[in-house]
Amino acid sequence: MQDAITALINVSDIQGKYLDNNSLEKLQHYFHSGDMRSRAATTVSANAKTSSPKQSQNLYFTQILLVLVAICILVVVMQLA
């Protein structure tokens, strides 16, 4: 399963072009919704009585990692533009 950022970049990569304005807007939306996704992951982690503590922690940190990777990609894309 691909995250939203990888899927977006792969489309442009397959087409052999840089991200267009529409793609950049989708990335911005993804970044702006990061706090909501992080809260959701925290809620799921806190309420998942059947999950092990390690699984809950992995879910939370995966979301944080995805946001950090997305920010790095956006910085690179903005420098190329």
Coordinates of all heavy atoms in Angstrom, one line a residue:
M1 N 0.8 -1.2 0.0 CA 0.0 0.0 0.0 C 0.9 1.2 0.0 O 1.8 1.3 0.8 CB -0.9 0.0 1.2 CG -1.8 1.1 1.3 SD -2.9 0.9 2.7 CE -3.3 2.6 3.1
Q2 N 0.6 2.2 -0.9 CA 1.3 3.4 -1.0 C 0.7 4.5 -0.2 O -0.6 4.6 -0.1 CB 1.5 3.9 -2.4 CG 2.3 3.0 -3.3 CD 2.4 3.5 -4.7 OE1 1.7 4.4 -5.1 NE2 3.4 3.1 -5.4
D3 N 1.5 5.4 0.4 CA 0.9 6.5 1.1 C 0.5 7.6 0.0 O 0.9 7.4 -1.2 CB 1.8 7.1 2.1 CG 3.1 7.5 1.5 OD1 3.1 8.6 0.9 OD2 4.1 6.8 1.7
A4 N -0.2 8.6 0.4 CA -0.6 9.6 -0.6 C 0.5 10.3 -1.3 O 0.4 10.6 -2.5 CB -1.5 10.6 0.2
I5 N 1.6 10.5 -0.6 CA 2.7 11.2 -1.2 C 3.4 10.3 -2.3 O 3.7 10.8 -3.4 CB 3.7 11.6 -0.1 CG1 3.0 12.6 0.8 CG2 5.0 12.2 -0.7 CD1 3.8 12.8 2.1
T6 N 3.7 9.1 -1.9 CA 4.3 8.2 -2.9 C 3.5 8.0 -4.1 O 4.0 8.0 -5.2 CB 4.6 6.8 -2.2 OG1 5.4 7.1 -1.0 CG2 5.4 5.9 -3.1
A7 N 2.2 7.8 -3.9 CA 1.3 7.7 -5.1 C 1.3 8.9 -6.0 O 1.4 8.8 -7.2 CB -0.1 7.4 -4.6
L8 N 1.3 10.1 -5.4 CA 1.3 11.3 -6.2 C 2.6 11.5 -6.9 O 2.6 11.8 -8.1 CB 1.1 12.5 -5.2 CG 0.9 13.8 -5.8 CD1 -0.5 13.9 -6.5 CD2 1.0 14.9 -4.8
I9 N 3.7 11.2 -6.3 CA 5.0 11.3 -7.0 C 5.2 10.3 -8.0 O 5.7 10.6 -9.1 CB 6.1 11.3 -5.9 CG1 6.1 12.5 -5.0 CG2 7.5 11.1 -6.6 CD1 7.0 12.5 -3.9
N10 N 4.7 9.1 -7.8 CA 4.8 8.0 -8.8 C 4.1 8.3 -10.1 O 4.6 8.0 -11.2 CB 4.3 6.7 -8.2 CG 5.3 6.0 -7.3 OD1 6.5 6.4 -7.3 ND2 4.9 5.1 -6.6
V11 N 3.0 9.0 -10.0 CA 2.2 9.4 -11.2 C 3.1 10.3 -12.0 O 3.2 10.2 -13.2 CB 0.9 10.0 -10.8 CG1 0.2 10.7 -12.0 CG2 -0.1 9.0 -10.2
S12 N 3.6 11.3 -11.4 CA 4.5 12.3 -12.1 C 5.7 11.6 -12.6 O 6.2 11.9 -13.8 CB 4.8 13.5 -11.2 OG 3.7 14.2 -10.9
D13 N 6.3 10.7 -11.8 CA 7.5 10.0 -12.3 C 7.3 9.2 -13.5 O 8.1 9.2 -14.4 CB 8.0 9.2 -11.1 CG 9.4 8.6 -11.4 OD1 10.2 9.3 -12.0 OD2 9.6 7.4 -11.0
I14 N 6.2 8.5 -13.5 CA 5.8 7.6 -14.7 C 5.7 8.5 -15.9 O 6.1 8.1 -17.0 CB 4.6 6.8 -14.4 CG1 4.9 5.7 -13.3 CG2 4.0 6.1 -15.6 CD1 3.7 5.0 -12.8
Q15 N 5.1 9.6 -15.7 CA 4.9 10.6 -16.9 C 6.1 11.3 -17.2 O 6.2 12.0 -18.3 CB 3.8 11.6 -16.5 CG 2.4 10.9 -16.3 CD 1.3 11.9 -15.9 OE1 1.6 13.0 -15.5 NE2 0.1 11.4 -15.8
G16 N 7.2 11.2 -16.4 CA 8.4 11.8 -16.7 C 8.4 13.4 -16.6 O 9.0 14.1 -17.3
K17 N 7.6 13.9 -15.6 CA 7.5 15.3 -15.4 C 7.6 15.7 -14.0 O 7.4 14.8 -13.1 CB 6.3 15.8 -16.1 CG 5.0 15.3 -15.5 CD 3.8 15.9 -16.2 CE 2.5 15.5 -15.5 NZ 1.3 16.1 -16.2
Y18 N 7.8 17.0 -13.7 CA 7.7 17.5 -12.4 C 6.3 17.6 -11.9 O 5.4 17.6 -12.7 CB 8.4 18.9 -12.3 CG 9.9 18.8 -12.5 CD1 10.4 19.4 -13.7 CD2 10.8 18.2 -11.6 CE1 11.8 19.3 -14.0 CE2 12.1 18.2 -11.9 CZ 12.6 18.7 -13.0 OH 13.9 18.7 -13.3
L19 N 6.1 17.7 -10.6 CA 4.8 17.9 -10.0 C 4.2 19.2 -10.5 O 4.8 20.2 -10.5 CB 4.8 17.9 -8.5 CG 5.3 16.6 -7.9 CD1 5.4 16.7 -6.4 CD2 4.4 15.4 -8.2
D20 N 2.9 19.1 -11.0 CA 2.3 20.3 -11.4 C 1.6 21.0 -10.2 O 1.6 20.5 -9.1 CB 1.2 20.0 -12.5 CG 0.2 19.0 -12.1 OD1 0.1 18.7 -10.9 OD2 -0.5 18.4 -13.0
N21 N 0.9 22.1 -10.5 CA 0.3 22.9 -9.4 C -0.8 22.1 -8.7 O -0.9 22.2 -7.5 CB -0.4 24.2 -10.0 CG 0.7 25.2 -10.3 OD1 1.8 25.2 -9.8 ND2 0.4 26.1 -11.2
N22 N -1.5 21.3 -9.4 CA -2.6 20.4 -8.8 C -1.9 19.4 -7.8 O -2.4 19.2 -6.7 CB -3.4 19.7 -9.9 CG -4.5 19.0 -9.3 OD1 -5.2 19.4 -8.4 ND2 -4.8 17.8 -9.9
S23 N -0.8 18.9 -8.2 CA -0.2 17.9 -7.4 C 0.4 18.6 -6.1 O 0.3 18.0 -5.0 CB 1.0 17.2 -8.1 OG 0.5 16.5 -9.2
L24 N 0.9 19.8 -6.3 CA 1.5 20.5 -5.2 C 0.3 20.9 -4.2 O 0.5 20.9 -3.0 CB 2.2 21.8 -5.6 CG 3.5 21.5 -6.4 CD1 4.1 22.8 -6.9 CD2 4.5 20.8 -5.5
E25 N -0.8 21.2 -4.7 CA -2.0 21.5 -3.9 C -2.4 20.3 -3.1 O -2.8 20.4 -1.9 CB -3.1 22.1 -4.7 CG -2.9 23.5 -5.2 CD -4.0 24.0 -6.1 OE1 -5.1 23.3 -6.2 OE2 -3.8 25.0 -6.8
K26 N -2.4 19.2 -3.7 CA -2.7 17.9 -3.0 C -1.7 17.6 -1.9 O -2.1 17.2 -0.8 CB -2.7 16.7 -4.0 CG -3.9 16.8 -4.9 CD -3.9 15.6 -5.9 CE -5.1 15.6 -6.9 NZ -5.0 14.5 -7.8
L27 N -0.4 17.9 -2.2 CA 0.6 17.7 -1.1 C 0.3 18.7 0.0 O 0.4 18.3 1.2 CB 2.0 18.0 -1.7 CG 2.6 16.8 -2.5 CD1 3.9 17.2 -3.1 CD2 2.7 15.6 -1.6
Q28 N 0.0 20.0 -0.3 CA -0.3 20.9 0.8 C -1.5 20.5 1.6 O -1.4 20.6 2.8 CB -0.6 22.3 0.2 CG 0.6 23.1 -0.2 CD 0.3 24.5 -0.7 OE1 -0.7 24.7 -1.3 NE2 1.2 25.4 -0.4
H29 N -2.5 20.0 1.0 CA -3.7 19.5 1.7 C -3.3 18.3 2.6 O -3.7 18.2 3.8 CB -4.8 19.0 0.7 CG -5.9 18.4 1.4 ND1 -6.8 19.1 2.2 CD2 -6.3 17.1 1.5 CE1 -7.7 18.3 2.7 NE2 -7.4 17.0 2.3
Y30 N -2.4 17.4 2.1 CA -1.9 16.3 2.9 C -1.2 16.8 4.1 O -1.4 16.3 5.2 CB -1.1 15.4 2.0 CG -0.6 14.2 2.7 CD1 -1.4 13.1 2.9 CD2 0.7 14.1 3.3 CE1 -0.9 11.9 3.5 CE2 1.1 13.0 4.0 CZ 0.3 11.9 4.1 OH 0.8 10.8 4.7
F31 N -0.3 17.8 3.9 CA 0.4 18.4 5.1 C -0.5 19.0 6.1 O -0.3 18.8 7.3 CB 1.5 19.4 4.6 CG 2.5 18.8 3.7 CD1 3.0 19.5 2.6 CD2 3.0 17.5 3.9 CE1 3.9 18.9 1.7 CE2 4.0 16.9 3.0 CZ 4.4 17.7 2.0
H32 N -1.4 19.8 5.6 CA -2.3 20.5 6.5 C -3.2 19.5 7.3 O -3.7 19.9 8.4 CB -3.2 21.5 5.7 CG -2.4 22.7 5.2 ND1 -1.7 23.5 6.0 CD2 -2.2 23.1 4.0 CE1 -1.1 24.4 5.3 NE2 -1.4 24.2 4.0
S33 N -3.5 18.4 6.7 CA -4.3 17.4 7.4 C -3.5 16.5 8.3 O -4.0 15.6 9.0 CB -5.1 16.6 6.4 OG -4.3 15.8 5.6
G34 N -2.2 16.7 8.4 CA -1.3 15.8 9.2 C -1.6 15.8 10.6 O -1.6 14.8 11.3
D35 N -2.0 17.0 11.2 CA -2.3 17.0 12.6 C -3.6 16.2 12.9 O -3.6 15.5 13.9 CB -2.6 18.5 13.0 CG -2.9 18.6 14.5 OD1 -2.1 18.1 15.3 OD2 -3.9 19.2 14.8
M36 N -4.5 16.2 12.0 CA -5.7 15.4 12.1 C -5.4 13.9 12.1 O -5.9 13.1 12.9 CB -6.8 15.7 11.0 CG -8.0 14.9 11.1 SD -9.2 15.3 9.8 CE -8.3 14.9 8.4
R37 N -4.5 13.5 11.2 CA -4.1 12.1 11.1 C -3.3 11.7 12.3 O -3.5 10.6 12.8 CB -3.3 11.9 9.8 CG -4.1 11.9 8.5 CD -3.3 11.4 7.3 NE -2.0 12.0 7.2 CZ -1.7 13.2 6.7 NH1 -2.6 14.0 6.3 NH2 -0.4 13.6 6.7
S38 N -2.5 12.6 12.8 CA -1.7 12.3 14.0 C -2.7 12.1 15.2 O -2.5 11.2 16.0 CB -0.7 13.4 14.3 OG 0.0 13.2 15.4
R39 N -3.7 13.0 15.4 CA -4.6 12.8 16.5 C -5.4 11.5 16.3 O -5.7 10.9 17.3 CB -5.6 14.0 16.5 CG -5.0 15.3 17.0 CD -6.0 16.3 17.3 NE -6.8 16.5 16.1 CZ -7.0 17.7 15.4 NH1 -6.4 18.8 15.9 NH2 -7.7 17.8 14.4
A40 N -5.8 11.2 15.1 CA -6.5 9.9 14.9 C -5.7 8.7 15.3 O -6.2 7.8 15.9 CB -6.9 9.8 13.4
A41 N -4.4 8.8 14.9 CA -3.5 7.7 15.3 C -3.3 7.6 16.8 O -3.3 6.5 17.4 CB -2.1 7.9 14.6
T42 N -3.3 8.8 17.4 CA -3.2 8.8 18.9 C -4.4 8.2 19.5 O -4.4 7.4 20.5 CB -2.9 10.2 19.4 OG1 -1.7 10.7 18.8 CG2 -2.8 10.3 20.9
T43 N -5.6 8.6 19.0 CA -6.9 8.1 19.5 C -7.0 6.6 19.4 O -7.4 5.9 20.3 CB -8.0 8.8 18.9 OG1 -7.9 10.2 19.1 CG2 -9.4 8.3 19.4
V44 N -6.6 6.1 18.2 CA -6.7 4.7 17.9 C -5.8 4.0 18.9 O -6.1 2.9 19.4 CB -6.4 4.4 16.4 CG1 -6.1 2.9 16.2 CG2 -7.5 4.9 15.5
S45 N -4.6 4.5 19.0 CA -3.6 3.9 19.9 C -4.1 3.8 21.3 O -3.9 2.8 22.0 CB -2.3 4.6 19.8 OG -1.7 4.5 18.5
A46 N -4.6 4.9 21.8 CA -5.1 5.0 23.2 C -6.3 4.1 23.4 O -6.4 3.6 24.6 CB -5.4 6.4 23.5
N47 N -7.1 3.9 22.4 CA -8.3 3.1 22.7 C -8.2 1.6 22.2 O -9.2 0.9 22.3 CB -9.5 3.8 21.9 CG -9.8 5.1 22.6 OD1 -9.7 5.3 23.8 ND2 -10.2 6.0 21.7
A48 N -7.1 1.3 21.7 CA -7.0 -0.1 21.1 C -6.6 -1.0 22.3 O -5.4 -1.3 22.4 CB -6.0 -0.1 20.0
K49 N -7.6 -1.5 23.0 CA -7.3 -2.4 24.1 C -6.7 -3.8 23.6 O -6.0 -4.5 24.4 CB -8.5 -2.6 24.9 CG -9.0 -1.4 25.6 CD -10.3 -1.6 26.4 CE -10.7 -0.3 26.9 NZ -12.0 -0.3 27.7
T50 N -7.1 -4.2 22.4 CA -6.6 -5.5 21.9 C -5.2 -5.4 21.3 O -4.6 -6.4 21.0 CB -7.6 -6.0 20.9 OG1 -7.7 -5.1 19.8 CG2 -9.0 -6.3 21.5
S51 N -4.8 -4.2 21.0 CA -3.4 -4.0 20.4 C -2.4 -4.0 21.5 O -2.6 -3.6 22.6 CB -3.3 -2.7 19.7 OG -4.2 -2.6 18.6
S52 N -1.2 -4.5 21.1 CA -0.1 -4.5 22.0 C 0.4 -3.1 22.1 O 0.2 -2.3 21.1 CB 1.0 -5.4 21.6 OG 1.6 -4.9 20.4
P53 N 1.1 -2.7 23.1 CA 1.7 -1.4 23.2 C 2.7 -1.1 22.1 O 2.7 0.0 21.5 CB 2.4 -1.4 24.6 CG 1.7 -2.4 25.4 CD 1.3 -3.4 24.4
K54 N 3.4 -2.1 21.6 CA 4.3 -1.9 20.5 C 3.6 -1.6 19.2 O 4.0 -0.7 18.4 CB 5.2 -3.2 20.4 CG 6.2 -3.1 19.3 CD 7.3 -2.1 19.7 CE 8.4 -2.1 18.7 NZ 9.4 -1.1 18.9
Q55 N 2.5 -2.3 18.9 CA 1.7 -2.0 17.7 C 1.1 -0.6 17.8 O 1.1 0.1 16.7 CB 0.5 -3.0 17.6 CG 0.9 -4.4 17.3 CD -0.2 -5.4 17.4 OE1 -1.1 -5.2 18.2 NE2 -0.2 -6.3 16.5
S56 N 0.7 -0.1 18.9 CA 0.1 1.2 19.0 C 1.2 2.3 18.8 O 1.0 3.3 18.1 CB -0.5 1.4 20.4 OG -1.5 0.6 20.6
Q57 N 2.4 2.0 19.3 CA 3.5 2.9 19.2 C 3.9 3.0 17.7 O 4.2 4.1 17.1 CB 4.7 2.5 20.0 CG 5.8 3.5 20.0 CD 7.0 3.0 20.9 OE1 7.2 1.8 21.1 NE2 7.7 3.9 21.5
N58 N 4.0 1.8 17.0 CA 4.3 1.8 15.6 C 3.4 2.6 14.8 O 3.8 3.3 13.8 CB 4.4 0.4 15.1 CG 5.7 -0.4 15.6 OD1 6.6 0.3 16.1 ND2 5.6 -1.7 15.6
L59 N 2.1 2.5 15.0 CA 1.1 3.2 14.3 C 1.3 4.7 14.4 O 1.3 5.4 13.4 CB -0.3 2.8 14.8 CG -1.5 3.5 14.1 CD1 -1.6 3.3 12.6 CD2 -2.8 3.1 14.8
Y60 N 1.5 5.2 15.6 CA 1.7 6.6 15.9 C 2.9 7.1 15.2 O 2.9 8.1 14.5 CB 1.7 6.8 17.4 CG 1.9 8.3 17.7 CD1 0.9 9.2 17.6 CD2 3.2 8.7 18.2 CE1 1.1 10.5 18.0 CE2 3.3 10.0 18.5 CZ 2.3 10.9 18.4 OH 2.5 12.2 18.8
F61 N 4.0 6.4 15.3 CA 5.3 6.9 14.8 C 5.3 6.7 13.2 O 6.0 7.5 12.6 CB 6.5 6.2 15.4 CG 6.7 6.7 16.8 CD1 6.6 5.8 17.9 CD2 7.1 8.0 17.0 CE1 6.8 6.3 19.2 CE2 7.3 8.5 18.3 CZ 7.2 7.6 19.4
T62 N 4.6 5.8 12.7 CA 4.5 5.7 11.2 C 3.9 7.0 10.7 O 4.3 7.5 9.6 CB 3.7 4.5 10.8 OG1 4.4 3.3 11.3 CG2 3.5 4.4 9.3
Q63 N 2.8 7.5 11.3 CA 2.2 8.7 10.8 C 3.1 9.9 10.9 O 3.2 10.7 10.0 CB 0.9 9.0 11.6 CG -0.2 8.0 11.4 CD -0.7 8.1 10.0 OE1 -0.9 9.2 9.4 NE2 -0.9 6.9 9.3
I64 N 3.9 10.0 12.0 CA 4.8 11.1 12.1 C 5.9 11.0 11.1 O 6.3 12.0 10.4 CB 5.4 11.1 13.6 CG1 4.4 11.4 14.6 CG2 6.6 12.0 13.6 CD1 4.8 11.3 16.0
L65 N 6.4 9.8 10.8 CA 7.4 9.6 9.8 C 6.9 10.0 8.4 O 7.6 10.6 7.7 CB 7.9 8.1 9.8 CG 9.0 7.7 8.8 CD1 10.2 8.6 9.1 CD2 9.3 6.3 8.9
L66 N 5.7 9.6 8.1 CA 5.1 10.0 6.8 C 5.0 11.5 6.6 O 5.3 12.0 5.5 CB 3.8 9.3 6.6 CG 3.7 7.8 6.4 CD1 2.3 7.3 6.4 CD2 4.4 7.5 5.1
V67 N 4.7 12.2 7.7 CA 4.6 13.6 7.6 C 6.0 14.2 7.4 O 6.2 15.1 6.6 CB 3.9 14.2 8.8 CG1 4.0 15.7 8.9 CG2 2.4 13.8 8.9
L68 N 7.0 13.7 8.1 CA 8.3 14.2 7.9 C 8.9 14.0 6.5 O 9.5 14.8 5.9 CB 9.3 13.6 9.0 CG 9.0 14.1 10.4 CD1 9.9 13.3 11.4 CD2 9.2 15.6 10.6
V69 N 8.6 12.8 6.0 CA 9.1 12.5 4.6 C 8.4 13.4 3.6 O 9.0 13.9 2.7 CB 8.8 11.0 4.3 CG1 8.9 10.7 2.8 CG2 9.7 10.1 5.1
A70 N 7.1 13.6 3.9 CA 6.3 14.5 3.0 C 6.9 15.9 3.0 O 7.0 16.6 1.9 CB 4.8 14.5 3.4
I71 N 7.3 16.4 4.1 CA 7.8 17.7 4.2 C 9.2 17.8 3.5 O 9.4 18.7 2.7 CB 8.0 18.1 5.7 CG1 6.6 18.4 6.3 CG2 8.9 19.4 5.8 CD1 6.7 18.5 7.8
C72 N 10.0 16.8 3.6 CA 11.3 16.7 2.9 C 11.1 16.7 1.4 O 11.7 17.4 0.6 CB 12.1 15.5 3.3 SG 12.7 15.6 5.0
I73 N 10.1 16.0 0.9 CA 9.8 15.9 -0.5 C 9.3 17.2 -1.0 O 9.7 17.7 -2.1 CB 8.8 14.8 -0.8 CG1 9.4 13.4 -0.6 CG2 8.3 14.9 -2.2 CD1 8.5 12.3 -0.6
L74 N 8.5 17.9 -0.2 CA 7.9 19.2 -0.7 C 9.1 20.2 -0.8 O 9.1 21.0 -1.7 CB 6.9 19.7 0.3 CG 6.2 21.0 -0.1 CD1 5.6 20.9 -1.4 CD2 5.2 21.4 1.0
V75 N 10.0 20.2 0.2 CA 11.1 21.1 0.1 C 12.0 20.9 -1.1 O 12.3 21.8 -1.8 CB 12.0 21.0 1.4 CG1 13.3 21.7 1.2 CG2 11.3 21.5 2.6
V76 N 12.2 19.6 -1.5 CA 13.0 19.3 -2.7 C 12.2 19.8 -3.9 O 12.8 20.4 -4.8 CB 13.3 17.8 -2.7 CG1 13.9 17.4 -4.1 CG2 14.3 17.4 -1.6
V77 N 10.9 19.5 -4.0 CA 10.1 19.9 -5.1 C 10.1 21.4 -5.3 O 10.2 21.9 -6.4 CB 8.7 19.3 -5.0 CG1 7.8 19.9 -6.0 CG2 8.7 17.8 -5.1
M78 N 9.9 22.1 -4.2 CA 9.9 23.6 -4.3 C 11.2 24.1 -4.7 O 11.3 25.1 -5.4 CB 9.5 24.1 -2.9 CG 8.1 23.7 -2.5 SD 6.8 24.2 -3.6 CE 6.7 25.9 -3.3
Q79 N 12.3 23.5 -4.4 CA 13.7 24.0 -4.8 C 13.9 23.7 -6.3 O 14.5 24.4 -7.0 CB 14.8 23.3 -4.0 CG 14.8 23.8 -2.6 CD 15.9 23.1 -1.8 OE1 16.5 22.1 -2.2 NE2 16.2 23.6 -0.6
L80 N 13.2 22.6 -6.8 CA 13.3 22.3 -8.2 C 12.5 23.2 -9.1 O 12.8 23.4 -10.3 CB 12.9 20.9 -8.5 CG 13.9 19.8 -7.9 CD1 13.3 18.4 -8.2 CD2 15.3 19.9 -8.6
A81 N 11.4 23.8 -8.5 CA 10.5 24.6 -9.3 C 11.0 26.0 -9.6 O 11.9 26.5 -9.1 CB 9.2 24.7 -8.5

